[in-house]
Amino acid sequence: MFTALELSRIQFAFTVSFHIIFPAFSIGLAMFLTVMEGLWLYTKNPLYYQAIRFWTKVFALTFGMGVVSGIVMEFQLGTNWAGFTKQIGSVLGPLFVYEVLSAFFIEAGFIGIMLFGWNKVGPKLHYLATILVTIGTTISAYWIMSANSWMQHPVGYQIIDGKFITTDWLAVVFNPYTLPRFIHMMLAAYLATSFVIISVSAYYLLNNQFVDFAKKCLSSAIIVVMIIIPIQIYIGDESGIKVHEAQPIKTAAIEGIWDTQKGAPLLIVAWPSNAEQRNLFEVGIPYGAALINTHKLDGELQGLKSVPQEDQPEAWIVFYAFRIMVGIGLLMFTYAIVAIWLLLRGKLFQSRLMLQASKYMAPTGFIAIITGWFTAEVGRQPWAVYGLIRVNDAVSNVSMHDVLVSLALIIIVYGIIFGVFYFHFLNKTIKKGPADFDSVEPFYFLRGAQPQEGDK
Amino acid sequence: MELALTWLLIIAFIIIMYILLDGFTLGVGLLFPLIKEDSERDIMVTTVLPVWDGNETWLVFAGAALYGAFPLAFSTLFPIWYIPLMLLIFGLLLRGIAFEFRLKAHETRRLWDWCLFGGSLMAVIAQGLVIGSFVSGFQFNPATGEAIRKQWFSGFGLFCALALIIAYGLLGSARLIKKTSGSLQTKFYKISAKLQWLLMLAVIIVGVYSPQSSRLQMRYWFDLQHSAFILVFLIIMAFLFAIHALAIKNRFENLPFASLIIIFILAYLALVTSNLPYLVPNQITFMQAKADDGALLFMLVGAAILIPVLLFYTAYAYKIFGGKTNEKISY
């Protein structure tokens, strides 16, 4: 039978994996809408307006899901991880307070205007609301990344009577670990969102629907991807070096290396086994891992066996999660090159093969985000705060049955609500398309005209 | 001392903001079964759609502030309240999702109407159980210092839940009187007229019941030094209820909501002051639970600058969507 600790871990992993999809998608869509609304105000091209109104529907649904699943995350810290919150409440609590003050309230205050304010406020104020919501999502992501980075790489603290006291708030907020991870996360959100836009546009083109609208969205998103993906690969590499400096054992798990060695190979496939303290099989490229993590052919990597077995993360999860993330990154890069080549030759919109492929790219970004998150979080185990607090000591004194009940409810409710209805309504919105905004003029009240049907 | 006290007051402020703002939002959900017409339900939802997210954010803020300023209280109370807090989250989850999906749905519309009502009801019951157990206090195992579990459930807690359902329902009804007109408004006047007597009754019963369920409260309420204060409190409450009843009878649009806000604030003050200085009843005072002064000061800088700003733009957003609601909105 499971213990409260195991169930709490499953519950946390489950809720965070579900939750992260929505903020990531909201962050990307908010930025997309900000750019599109700016272009629309500048060019007055109605295609941009269509794009804003259509993607706003998707944004609203997604944002709502993020808000409600986020409350679960916050409360869970207290209900399931009291040992953790008690010890480091003074460090992480203030970061969450700042997140609420500087991000959540901005989002909450202006999302109403962004969604429902088309005929209540003027175009400039509406655009300001859109920009503020985007800034809110960005700031919120920063605070979460800084809290998580502190757990990965604690700095600026002292331990007094078993409690963590922050001695340097600047060091906590601007942890050197945070910035590359934050940029990595933001770019991942932009990429994941771009691929949803690409996929939906390709779907319209394949069905010969809303062709002008789809072409505009598709080409914009592909240009965005082409710009972002090389930067993302570079930032990912930077993060890798930071991980190797701060958490060498995580790097060892990522690379499947058991013995400390110079010039370690890059393993393409392997089966790391914690039980046997070795890889059951491995196929690798010589010097690869050393080169990637230290940027030197004979760089030294610490092996998993350099720490006791109880201090090692579950290596196979980290190993494969990382490979899925990187694999998707390379797939995106290949896609972007082919797509740009076709776009420049004017053949993209005719190539059914490429449009079919585009259609299936939608989930890739989110899979990369979740597996990237797994790499970071499982790679940190068994520590809740790296090297300082073990996950076993972080759990609350709650009964196994309580956690079992809540976990069962969460799985059922999340499965039905997020799994079935979110996708149902998303599907419905996409099937319906942007058609109903064809003839609508927003801000009619400024011109003294009458409202038109469907624009209330 | 001053820093911890300041944060105690800030958190008290955050919680009453949550109770008032999300209170009327939850109330709108609770009133759903009383209004059958689809178009009228649309208007009810429209009155809260642009603001519900902001209202709920005060709860997130309360959680974060308690975590940051009084981590020991946060990590002691939340595991004790595991089940009611999960119930609260699920209630809010269902309600939030119903708000979003209801706009999109046609065939499944009824389902989301029920989720809106059920979610609101669940959240309110959970809050009632939490308040009830907070008033009654907890028992701790003297050997380990751990709280004895399952203390969140009691008859008194259930009664608090019932009282809260009536109170939020009345607050929602008063809000809807402000926001609607014509025959729909008349319906809410009628609902308010009935609910106000039930609330009065519930307040009296809670007042009599709660000192008996808590030794600390007993000491507080029947202390002679306080009795004059309590007498004044009761007179003001009776006066406010009278104003509310007259406002409903004479169909004043704004006064019912305003008088209820003051009733809520007074009842809230009575509740929180009788447990001072404890954050975990009879067990941990706010001074024992506080974070280090550096953390409190760091948060205070942000709070002092940002709370006034956010109050300003929240009020502004309310103003934009102010006035009567006559039709459904969508995006």
Side-chain angles (χ1 to χ4, degrees), chain B residues 106-123:
Chain B
H106 297 290
E107 313 90 64
T108 52
R109 180 78 174 272
R110 287 271 163 237
L111 172 71
W112 301 117
D113 282 0
W114 278 108
C115 280
L116 190 60
F117 168 71
S120 304
L121 188 66
M122 250 165 96

Side-chain angles (χ1 to χ4, degrees), chain B residues 95-110:
Chain B
R95 183 190 70 164
I97 282 158
F99 275 137
E100 299 297 332
F101 288 167
R102 199 179 177 280
L103 281 174
K104 303 250 165 257
H106 297 290
E107 313 90 64
T108 52
R109 180 78 174 272
R110 287 271 163 237

Side-chain angles (χ1 to χ4, degrees), chain A residues 148-159:
Chain A
N148 185 269
S149 295
W150 191 86
M151 291 162 66
Q152 305 282 355
H153 180 53
V155 286
Y157 68 91
Q158 262 185 347
I159 302 176

Side-chain angles (χ1 to χ4, degrees), chain A residues 248-283:
Chain A
I249 297 305
K250 187 191 279 181
T251 303
I254 287 171
E255 302 297 355
I257 292 169
W258 294 94
D259 298 297
T260 303
Q261 56 187 286
K262 288 188 175 176
L266 176 66
L267 302 179
I268 307 297
V269 241
W271 192 262
S273 159
N274 281 55
E276 299 202 21
Q277 294 287 296
R278 66 181 180 95
N279 293 332
L280 298 188
F281 58 86
E282 55 181 55
V283 180

Side-chain angles (χ1 to χ4, degrees), chain B residues 308-327:
Chain B
V309 176
L310 74 88
L311 283 173
F312 176 77
Y313 64 66
T314 305
Y316 181 70
Y318 264 85
K319 194 171 156 270
I320 286 177
F321 295 99
K324 296 287 181 189
T325 304
N326 299 317
E327 57 196 0

Side-chain angles (χ1 to χ4, degrees), chain B residues 214-243:
Chain B
S214 155
R215 264 169 293 137
L216 191 72
Q217 298 246 339
M218 179 93 108
R219 227 176 38 225
Y220 183 84
W221 283 87
F222 295 98
D223 184 341
L224 278 179
Q225 282 181 329
H226 292 120
S227 55
F229 174 73
I230 286 162
L231 194 67
V232 173
F233 171 81
L234 290 176
I235 291 170
I236 296 174
M237 281 296 244
F239 180 66
L240 285 166
F241 270 113
I243 288 181

Side-chain angles (χ1 to χ4, degrees), chain A residues 60 63 71-72 74-75 78 80 82 85-86 90 96-98 105-106 108 112 125 397 402 406 413 417 421 428, chain B residues 53-54 56 60 63-64 67 72 74-75 82 89 93 97 101 104 112 146 149-150 291-292 298 302 313 316 331:
Chain A
F63 186 86
I71 292 195
V72 180
E74 187 203 20
F75 273 56
N80 294 60
T85 50
K86 185 158 58 182
S90 297
F96 295 133
V97 167
Y98 269 93
F105 276 112
I106 294 183
L125 185 57
N397 173 34
D402 283 1
S406 68
V413 173
I417 306 265
F421 280 101
K428 226 167 94 171
Chain B
D53 177 21
E56 203 173 278
V60 180
Y67 177 22
L72 187 60
F74 181 80
S75 56
Y82 193 92
I89 297 172
L93 194 92
I97 282 158
F101 288 167
K104 303 250 165 257
W112 301 117
E146 301 277 4
R149 287 195 210 100
K150 304 280 177 262
D292 62 284
F298 175 64
Y313 64 66
Y316 181 70
Y331 47 72

Side-chain angles (χ1 to χ4, degrees), chain B residues 192-209:
Chain B
S192 279
K194 285 181 189 132
L195 282 180
Q196 62 177 348
W197 301 114
L198 281 177
L199 182 63
M200 232 180 282
L201 193 67
V203 168
I204 293 167
I205 296 175
V206 170
V208 176
Y209 202 158

